[in-house]
Amino acid sequence: MFEVLYVTFWSHVKHGFFLIRYTLKSKFEKRAGWATLLLMSQTLLVKNCRPWGKASQDILVKDGLINSITPAGSTAVNAGQIIDAENQLIFPGLVNAHAHIDKNLIGQPWHRNELPGATIRDLVDYERKIQLEKGLSTRVQSQKDVEASIAAGTTHIRTHIDIDPEIGLTGFEGVLGTKAAFEDRLTMQTVAFPQRGMLIYPGTIELLEEALKMGADAIGGLDPSTVDRDPAQHINVVFDMAVKHGVEVDIHLHEPGMLGAFSVELIIERTKALGMQGLVTISHVFCLGMIDEAYLDRLIEQLLENDISIMSLGSGRGEFPPLKKLADAGIRLCTGTDGVRDTWGPYNYVDILERVKLMGYRSGFRRDEDVEMLLNVATYGGAAVMKDGSYGLEVGKAADFVIVPGEAPTQAVVELKPRSYVIKRGRVVAKDGELMAG
Ligand SMILES: [Zn+2]
């Protein structure tokens, strides 16, 4: 137990913060260090920035919120910190609404992938084998993912975390540690996720419940038929936990064609029966790209009625949901990186703009407006799924921005240049593609 011995103030009022020298003392040691204390009236002016490629604006930020957005140069403002964006693009922070930050190999020697097969069971078993061999710390690896993500412009992450009797809650606890360490630089939601199956793996349900008690924001599920082989029971258990703990549902659904569509129907039924409209996301849902048009239209109608969100990455193999059709229908869409630098495959990385590019490429989009629709999915769509009411490039919203070189949004998606600035709650957290010191 430390007690504060003394502090000396080092005033930096002009830059909006105090630098404090502190000395702590315990029975055994004395420790000194520096800390920063933000002033309540901290202001930041981002001048000459072009929201979504439109006319140049000045954005004034006060206490982490957007105070005004005015035509560039129209107001004289005396701000604590000024950034000249030099007419670059500005977007609200990128939203990674589907990650697995507990399982990456970032910073480790390149893993030569020797997957024995391509079923979910093959992927999951191989992943666990390599993880146990390497003995990596989830706390350390999840931080590496978060640091690389922030540097690439991500301000929000929803991450699914493996929970099962073999590893218990160690992965979950590691991610919670990272969430706490980055709480002022990243908005994070956690999903308690039965990656290795739930009903087929005794002890998993109890651990998922424990994670929900420890603060998980959502309960996950996985392929109710092909993994757990009891779709109704799987979905009942997941939804019952959600109701009991007052959390959202986010289910991984890789099942193909009619089998997957049947799971979608069951999820819709439970959502409706329990009044969980607006609180359910189905991730991947490849089946929506495999069923006939008339059936798809019926499902879209029911998804809309029950306000169920769809997460898609524009999967690298086979079919995936028709994103334009779903967006046009009004379905809330989000996207994410899924696992990055992991044993599932070599392609995924942390850049959400790159994900937009891949989705557009796989969707065969050519027109700027279609790419911009996907960019909207990767920003506003994800923030809506994460229920962040403070999100957006509007007065009164949180100052979460990414500033990127380019004339037009689609150009930023195609060229993937390093992010000039990433700003979280009015504070620069990354510059020129590099994370700022914490
Ligand atoms: Zn996933």
Side-chain angles (χ1 to χ4, degrees):
M1 194 69 170
F2 281 93
E3 63 183 72
V4 178
L5 200 59
Y6 50 83
V7 293
T8 41
F9 285 92
W10 205 267
S11 174
H12 278 247
V13 177
K14 186 168 172 251
H15 300 291
F17 62 88
F18 283 120
L19 198 58
I20 297 170
R21 180 77 181 167
Y22 64 85
T23 305
L24 303 172
K25 183 186 73 128
S26 77
K27 261 193 205 161
F28 311 104
E29 58 174 320
K30 209 161 112 175
R31 247 186 231 173
W34 291 99
T36 53
L37 177 69
L38 298 179
L39 287 181
M40 288 309 288
S41 61
Q42 192 183 24
T43 54
L44 164 72
L45 177 68
V46 181
K47 65 178 193 177
N48 305 315
C49 58
R50 293 186 305 113
W52 291 86
K54 298 200 171 75
S56 200
Q57 306 284 319
D58 293 341
I59 300 181
L60 179 66
V61 175
K62 256 189 192 171
D63 302 332
L65 302 177
I66 300 174
N67 186 264
S68 66
I69 304 177
T70 50
S74 64
T75 19
V77 181
N78 185 17
Q81 188 184 3
I82 296 175
I83 290 172
D84 187 350
E86 297 173 328
N87 290 318
Q88 295 181 85
L89 301 158
I90 189 165
F91 302 108
L94 302 172
V95 180
N96 182 356
H98 188 108
H100 293 266
I101 68 171
D102 56 326
K103 302 194 283 190
N104 67 79
L105 302 174
I106 296 173
Q108 299 298 314
W110 183 256
H111 165 73
R112 184 176 175 79
N113 202 319
E114 288 168 343
L115 266 169
T119 66
I120 292 294
R121 179 51 56 189
D122 292 332
L123 293 160
V124 166
D125 287 348
Y126 181 66
E127 171 177 67
R128 179 58 55 85
K129 175 175 166 285
I130 301 295
Q131 274 179 342
L132 291 178
E133 277 172 16
K134 290 185 180 291
L136 301 175
S137 150
T138 308
R139 170 70 184 85
V140 172
Q141 290 309 121
S142 59
Q143 173 157 337
K144 287 180 182 171
D145 192 325
V146 162
E147 288 175 344
S149 298
I150 292 172
T154 296
T155 55
H156 294 62
I157 292 180
R158 172 183 275 193
T159 190
H160 298 249
I161 306 156
D162 285 16
I163 289 172
D164 59 68
E166 187 174 29
I167 59 165
L169 293 162
T170 51
F172 184 68
E173 286 162 350
V175 172
L176 284 188
T178 296
K179 180 179 177 175
F182 284 80
E183 66 178 353
D184 55 347
R185 289 182 279 172
L186 182 85
T187 301
M188 189 191 293
Q189 282 185 348
T190 54
V191 185
F193 177 46
Q195 174 77 83
R196 297 174 70 78
M198 188 177 72
L199 304 176
I200 56 168
Y201 201 166
T204 301
I205 294 171
E206 291 77 6
L207 287 165
L208 292 169
E209 290 235 49
E210 196 55 36
L212 295 173
K213 284 185 206 151
M214 288 166 67
D217 301 286
I219 177 75
L222 172 72
D223 296 337
S225 297
T226 54
V227 172
D228 263 4
R229 309 192 73 80
D230 189 346
Q233 179 65 0
H234 178 99
I235 289 167
N236 283 344
V237 169
V238 166
F239 273 80
D240 285 352
M241 277 194 273
V243 169
K244 183 174 166 193
H245 294 277
V247 297
E248 299 203 10
V249 169
D250 192 335
I251 295 181
H252 277 66
L253 187 60
H254 308 93
E255 293 164 356
M258 295 299 283
L259 184 62
F262 177 60
S263 291
V264 172
E265 286 193 25
L266 291 177
I267 292 168
I268 292 169
E269 281 171 21
R270 292 315 294 157
T271 304
K272 193 171 184 175
L274 295 169
M276 284 194 62
Q277 288 85 355
L279 301 173
V280 176
T281 301
I282 316 178
S283 289
H284 300 301
V285 221
F286 303 139
C287 60
L288 294 185
M290 299 172 164
I291 54 179
D292 70 60
E293 206 71 8
Y295 187 17
L296 175 61
D297 288 342
R298 285 205 303 280
L299 285 184
I300 287 176
E301 208 173 291
Q302 294 170 58
L303 288 168
L304 276 173
E305 263 174 35
N306 291 285
D307 198 6
I308 293 173
S309 306
I310 298 294
M311 192 299 300
S312 178
L313 312 168
S315 161
R317 72 185 160 92
E319 301 300 328
F320 61 101
L323 300 174
K324 192 168 162 56
K325 183 179 172 87
L326 296 184
D328 288 347
I331 299 273
R332 190 187 301 111
L333 298 173
C334 62
T335 189
T337 57
D338 217 356
V340 304
R341 272 297 308 273
D342 61 9
T343 61
W344 286 55
Y347 302 110
N348 288 352
Y349 203 51
V350 295
D351 189 350
I352 290 293
L353 288 185
E354 185 183 42
R355 175 57 50 191
V356 170
K357 180 175 178 173
L358 290 169
M359 286 197 295
Y361 180 75
R362 284 232 62 215
S363 299
F365 291 168
R366 295 174 185 276
R367 294 165 59 87
D368 279 40
E369 68 176 24
D370 292 334
V371 180
E372 286 171 24
M373 178 276 284
L374 294 178
L375 196 50
N376 196 62
V377 167
T379 50
Y380 286 95
V385 168
M386 288 178 67
K387 311 283 183 302
D388 186 350
S390 70
Y391 183 91
L393 278 184
E394 284 171 44
V395 172
K397 302 290 187 185
D400 293 354
F401 311 135
V402 55
I403 298 175
V404 196
E407 284 175 49
T410 302
Q411 186 183 1
V413 167
V414 171
E415 295 183 355
L416 300 176
K417 291 198 169 150
R419 313 299 116 92
S420 302
Y421 292 93
V422 183
I423 293 166
K424 180 69 179 172
R425 291 267 165 179
R427 171 185 169 199
V428 177
V429 289
K431 188 172 178 314
D432 298 327
E434 301 281 339
L435 188 77
M436 304 290 278

